[in-house]
Structures are given as C-alpha cells and as structure tokens.
Amino acid sequence: MLLGCVADDLTGATDLALMLTREGLRTVQINGLPDDDLDVGDVDAVVVALKSRTNPPAEAVAQSLAAATSLRALGARRLMFKYCSTFDSTDRGNIGPVAEALLDFTGSAFTVFCPAFPRAGRSIYNGYLFVNGLPIDESPMKDHPLTPMRDANLCRVLQRQTALKVGLVGYSDVDAGAEAVTTAFARETAAGRRALILDAISDQHLRHLGEAIADLPLITGGSGIALGLPDAYLARGLVPRLTPPPVTITAPPGRSVILAGSCSTATRGQVARAIAAGIPSLQLDPMALADGSVTADTLLDWLAATPSEGPALVYSSAEPDAVRAVQERLGTEAAGHIVERLLAEVAASLPARGYSRFIVAGGETAGAVVGALGIKVLRIGPEIDPGVPWTVSLSGPPVALALKSGNFGAEDFFLKAWDMLR
Ligand code: ADP
C-alpha cells in the first residue's frame, strides 16, 4: 500500500476514494479507525473516514494521529490529510492543528495545503479561495452554521490556526509546471515557511502539483489535490500499473431505500424530483419524533407496505424556515440528533428485512447510518455524479451504498443512481 489518507468526514472520504479510483489506484475506504486485524487486501491506497471536522481540536488531532499510525502499520509510505474543498474550519482549527501534528508525525520539513477542485467550482488564485467564481467569504459558505468562512485569503485563514509559518506557491509558479513548483518549495522553506498554500485554477495545475508533491511524506488538501498523484506514482514506478475504474457494479439482490436527512438545496431538489417520478415517499417531522408519535416501527411498517420492486424514500429534508422553527423548539443539535438517530435505527434493522441497496443523503446522516449498519470497509464502484460513487460493503451486511454529501449530485441523482444498478 502506497498512500494512506485521513479524511475529516465520511462523504469527503468517499469523494477522495472515488478520485483515486478514477485516476487508477486500487482504493478502499475504512469507516472509523481500522481494527488491528484488518486485512485490506491488495490495494494501492486506503482512505480512513473520521468524523473530526468540527470536534475540539485536541480530539481531532488525537483521532488523526491514531489513523495515521494505523495507516503506517498497514504499509502506507505516504500520507494525505483530506478536508473539504471549501476549507471548512475556524480560527481554532481543525486543519492547522491536525496538519501540524501529522507533519511532526512524518518528520517532514514542510507540507502543502490545496483545497482546489476547479471542476467543482473551487479554485485558488494568489492564495484566495473562490467558490463558483465568488470569493468564499461572499459565497453561501460565509453563513455555514459551524464553520463560517469570512476570509477568502487562505494564507491568513491558515496562519490563524497554526504556529507554522505559512507561505504561498502562487499561480505563476504552478502554471509554469512541476519544476517551477519544486523550486518554489525550496524558496519558501529556505525562508522558514513550512505550511504552503498552493494555487490551482485548472486540472492542468492539479497535474503539475501532483508531479511536484508525489514524493512528499505528507500532503493536505481536498480531493482535487489527489488528481495528479496516480500518474506521478506510475511515472516513478511506485505502482506497477494504473487500474481502470469500475464502470459497473454488482449489487447484492434485495430491496432498495433512500434515506435523506440533508436539508441542503441540492437534496431538496432531488427529493422533489423523486416524488414527482412516483417513488413512494414519507416525510419525517422532527417534532413528531420528539413527542414519540413517530417511531422506527412507524417507518418500518410504512416501508413494508411499499412495493418491493422499486425504491422507497424516507426524508426529513425541509425548507430553511421549517428547519429553523424546529431548531428553535428543540435546539439545533438535538433536532439533528433526533433525526439521525431514527434513520440510523431504521437502517440497522433493514438488512434483516431484505434491504441491500441504500442511498443516504447528508454527511452527518450518512455517518450515523453507516455506523448503525456496522459497515467498516467499502469498495468504490462507478461514479453516479461528480464526487459520489456507488460503493459495496466489504464487511458487515452485504449492501450497495451511495453516500451523498448534501450539496452533491444533479436533480435526477436518486433516479440515475438506481438505473445504474439494473
Ligand atoms: P448535509 O450534508 O446537507 O449538511 P447532514 O446530514 O450532514 O446534511 O446534516 C443535516 C442535519 O440536519 C442532520 O443533523 C439532520 O439530522 C438534521 N435535520 C434533518 N432534517 C431536519 C429537519 N427537518 N429539521 C431540523 N434538522 C434536520
């Protein structure tokens, strides 16, 4: 195993595992810290999915170091720390503190930071992060409930999170190619800067960067920074060949269900489209969960009465005003947990009832559901929409799973995903 990755959330881990798979590395995803006796088989890369993005920094550091230690034990010669392409973090962390700890762990002289993913509308120019053409502090991310991004200058953002001196490898160096980037690394580190933000506004830039960073013991970034790594590994003979990504998936036979706990704009559109297409649906009202009038049994009975040949949709997705009203009555965290817990409880009893095909919408929701299903290892299958593949469980109950981060996927995502399984 060549590359070991520590991801700060579940759907982000899947996004990275998909990127590595698409570019030719045999990759598996492990949910949570690997067990000591875990056998990952013959793979080039392993992505460990943590849930550390918004934990207290010390906890995120401890979890990330534990994951790095396990990845080393599995044979990883290089490490990557994966975070969101919108650099989700606060002045306390966790990107700076985790990267600093991993830098110490690897003993390397410096590391790089690059959340750019131009294909998904995330680019970095002169250290400024743009989301769909807007500086991130003018994008909807400025109002994120947990990690509001109020400064687009990543050098400043990162400098507030770390004692390492932050530097920049800017557009002109990145555009000039891998050699110029390597020269820029030498220039920055000679000036004592050990945390280097990298510009990138195109896939070509990511390929230049891949070539320049392929030998670093530690890199950090979004899934985009991995785009150029497989080719660079092949050129160095670090992997004997690139493996074409899977184009089909063999899903275990059984019933299908969509569990949507995300309230993001994309998911709400996908829910509306699925209902319009005639998929049987049941909307969950968090207040009814709180007063006990709707329970896991209510949902299981409803599911049992739906036609067995097609998918059924259970969703709590609601408009922002409705979500705010519930949050005011129950508290934000409690409202989130009550929905997550119920969907997880339902999911846990579905395999025994013949369900083997799951789509889960929402990062937190997916974490809760996969945990309840007891699925530790995932193999990456074909891509449904950018950043979201079908996956197959390699441990726990045999199921096919599509784990969709809230804002990912086109409006017909739920329909398209099932068509790929036929
Ligand atoms: P996303 O990926 O879109 O952020 P998540 O699953 O990560 O989705 O987060 C959505 C959160 O909102 C979860 O904690 C979920 O339980 C909670 N939630 C879902 N539906 C509602 C609702 N109707 N009212 C309040 N909170 C909700």
Side-chain angles (χ1 to χ4, degrees):
M1 208 255 287
L2 181 62
L3 180 67
C5 308
V6 182
D8 68 355
D9 89 336
L10 179 71
T11 47
T14 310
D15 177 17
L16 173 62
L18 173 63
M19 171 65 81
L20 293 167
T21 303
R22 275 179 45 141
E23 295 296 323
L25 296 189
R26 296 163 305 164
T27 307
V28 294
Q29 176 175 335
I30 301 174
N31 302 317
L33 291 175
D35 302 323
D36 285 344
D37 56 354
L38 181 75
D39 178 8
V40 290
D42 217 2
V43 294
D44 305 310
V46 172
V47 181
V48 171
L50 299 178
K51 192 175 175 321
S52 58
R53 183 168 296 168
T54 54
N55 292 16
E59 254 176 49
V61 164
Q63 282 186 29
S64 305
L65 284 173
T69 306
S70 300
L71 286 164
R72 268 283 165 75
L74 288 170
R77 285 180 272 162
R78 289 160 171 74
L79 293 178
M80 169 169 175
F81 169 40
K82 153 77 171 74
Y83 39 78
C84 191
S85 61
T86 43
F87 213 70
D88 299 15
S89 54
T90 69
D91 288 354
R92 298 171 64 217
N94 289 336
I95 295 175
V98 169
E100 214 174 298
L102 291 174
L103 195 60
D104 277 350
F105 177 84
T106 57
S108 50
F110 72 101
T111 191
V112 296
F113 296 78
C114 186
F117 195 2
R119 222 185 278 167
R122 276 69 158 149
S123 48
I124 306 171
Y125 181 71
N126 277 338
Y128 284 79
L129 177 58
F130 292 82
V131 177
N132 296 325
L134 288 174
I136 192 165
D137 59 337
E138 295 175 29
S139 80
M141 279 303 292
K142 73 180 189 303
D143 297 319
H144 190 282
L146 301 175
T147 52
M149 295 296 289
R150 299 268 161 82
D151 185 354
N153 184 313
L154 292 183
C155 296
R156 282 196 302 251
V157 171
L158 181 61
Q159 193 63 83
R160 289 194 288 267
Q161 299 180 27
T162 178
L164 300 170
K165 228 163 126 186
V166 176
L168 174 68
V169 177
Y171 172 83
S172 55
D173 289 324
V174 175
D175 197 50
E179 234 173 87
V181 173
T182 306
T183 307
F185 288 164
R187 177 194 71 216
E188 292 299 303
T189 50
R193 294 186 275 266
R194 300 180 62 208
L196 308 182
I197 302 284
L198 309 180
D199 271 4
I201 62 172
S202 68
D203 278 5
Q204 189 56 45
H205 290 157
L206 294 175
R207 293 199 181 277
H208 293 168
L209 292 174
E211 175 61 29
I213 63 177
D215 293 319
L216 298 185
L218 173 71
I219 60 171
T220 87
S223 59
I225 193 63
L227 185 126
L229 288 178
D231 276 347
Y233 291 159
L234 181 70
R236 287 161 172 74
L238 293 168
V239 289
R241 75 192 72 78
L242 296 182
T243 306
V247 287
T248 57
I249 173 176
T250 310
R255 296 192 64 171
S256 314
V257 69
I258 305 167
L259 303 172
S262 154
C263 299
S264 69
T265 314
T267 303
R268 285 185 281 121
Q270 290 152 357
V271 165
R273 182 71 177 271
I275 295 171
I279 292 181
S281 63
L282 178 69
Q283 183 168 23
L284 295 179
D285 171 8
M287 296 312 297
L289 310 189
D291 69 21
S293 55
V294 168
T295 65
D297 283 337
T298 321
L299 267 64
L300 291 168
D301 291 346
W302 178 81
L303 281 170
T306 60
S308 61
E309 56 280 1
L313 164 66
V314 176
Y315 68 102
S316 65
S317 319
E319 301 289 322
D321 282 349
V323 172
R324 257 192 304 276
V326 165
Q327 287 175 334
E328 272 163 25
R329 292 176 68 183
L330 297 177
T332 302
E333 235 176 74
H337 285 162
I338 207 163
V339 175
E340 286 170 34
R341 260 201 312 272
L342 187 83
L343 291 177
E345 190 185 341
V346 168
S349 51
L350 288 179
R353 292 165 194 252
Y355 284 81
S356 62
R357 296 148 178 228
F358 292 73
I359 296 180
V360 190
E364 296 295 326
T365 309
V369 165
V370 168
L373 283 169
I375 293 171
K376 195 77 191 175
V377 190
L378 294 174
R379 183 163 55 76
I380 304 298
E383 186 171 42
I384 305 164
D385 264 333
V388 198
W390 271 111
T391 69
V392 184
S393 61
L394 295 176
S395 71
V399 298
L401 280 166
L403 307 173
K404 192 191 77 75
S405 155
N407 261 322
F408 278 17
E411 205 168 89
D412 61 351
F413 179 87
F414 293 149
L415 310 174
K416 203 162 41 189
W418 296 122
D419 283 343
M420 291 173 70
L421 292 187
R422 297 220 180 96

